[in-house]
Amino acid sequence: MPWSQYLISMAQNGTYGDQITLQAVANLFNVEIVIISTLGPNAKTVISPQFSTPFASLTLGHFAEDQGIHYVCLTVTVQ
């Protein structure tokens, strides 16, 4: 998908964030994002800022598609 089409798609109400938006949040706010998913016990993803050491960690719960709210905040830890 071309970048311009992706941006138009992401701007629509009801569109969930994805790995690209989560990486942007990690970079912009200098935080590590830990995602724990309902997809299984080994379904854990860690997204870190690309160019710096994070000053805080945010743990999100991820519900797979059609299982309710998509992401929920579980913890925030300032390091």
Side-chain angles (χ1 to χ4, degrees), residues 6-78:
Y6 170 80
L7 293 176
I8 291 169
S9 171
M10 292 304 291
Q12 301 304 309
N13 284 336
T15 302
Y16 291 127
D18 58 11
Q19 289 292 114
I20 295 172
T21 56
L22 290 172
Q23 184 64 62
V25 168
N27 291 345
L28 181 64
F29 294 105
N30 196 31
V31 295
E32 176 180 79
I33 302 171
V34 179
I35 303 166
I36 300 170
S37 178
T38 61
L39 295 174
N42 296 322
K44 177 180 174 183
T45 303
V46 178
I47 302 171
S48 297
Q50 293 174 309
F51 307 108
S52 61
T53 302
F55 80 93
S57 179
L58 170 66
T59 302
L60 298 178
H62 168 263
F63 291 91
E65 301 293 326
D66 301 321
Q67 290 187 358
I69 299 170
H70 200 56
Y71 288 100
V72 294
C73 181
L74 299 177
T75 65
V76 175
T77 305
V78 178

